[in-house]
Amino acid sequence: YLTSMRETPKSKLIIPMLARSPHESHRASTTLELFFDLVFVVAIAQVSASLHHGIAEAHFSQAVISYLMVFCGIWWAWMNFTWFASAYDTDDVPYRVMVFVQLVGALIFAAGVPDFVQGDLTIGVMGYVVMRIAMIVHG
């Protein structure tokens, strides 16, 4: 029943959120999912650049601690959403809007990395909150 419902939805506007069947055949990533991953790669690149600069300026311990904190935050948000998308992907309008809100949150988070490393958590926390709100609203 679940598989047939996913194959022939009546409307792509809103599809009931149902768990994906564990017997469903392998599904390739969509273009939106690949773009989503790319945005998180940019965020991680920003974090890695701050680590590099911290080590180059001989602030090893501060750079590593900041890197681990920021990396874990962005990784946790990515992992939570990826799990959710794998388990409940409806590919309807609310789902796609949620993906874009997640993308905006990740970009805000990435933009706040340089300030975060300097001790100002405002922009990074705002980006993280935007990503979490998207999960709460849709989930």
Side-chain angles (χ1 to χ4, degrees), residues 55-73:
I55 291 172
E57 294 175 359
H59 301 126
F60 182 78
S61 60
Q62 179 187 0
V64 170
I65 291 169
S66 295
Y67 173 81
L68 290 174
M69 289 174 55
V70 176
F71 179 82
C72 286

Side-chain angles (χ1 to χ4, degrees), residues 99-119:
V99 171
F100 281 110
V101 172
Q102 286 273 342
L103 293 173
V104 168
L107 290 173
I108 293 169
F109 193 93
V113 168
D115 293 338
F116 189 94
V117 171
Q118 299 300 321

Side-chain angles (χ1 to χ4, degrees), residues 6-23:
R6 291 194 188 282
E7 291 172 359
T8 57
K10 293 179 182 170
S11 168
K12 282 274 221 184
L13 187 59
I14 297 177
I15 299 171
M17 188 183 314
L18 302 170
R20 291 177 64 186
S21 170
H23 305 294

Side-chain angles (χ1 to χ4, degrees), residues 1-4 6 18-26 86-88:
Y1 171 74
L2 295 176
T3 304
S4 64
R6 291 194 188 282
L18 302 170
R20 291 177 64 186
S21 170
H23 305 294
E24 183 177 347
S25 62
H26 178 71
S86 297
Y88 298 104

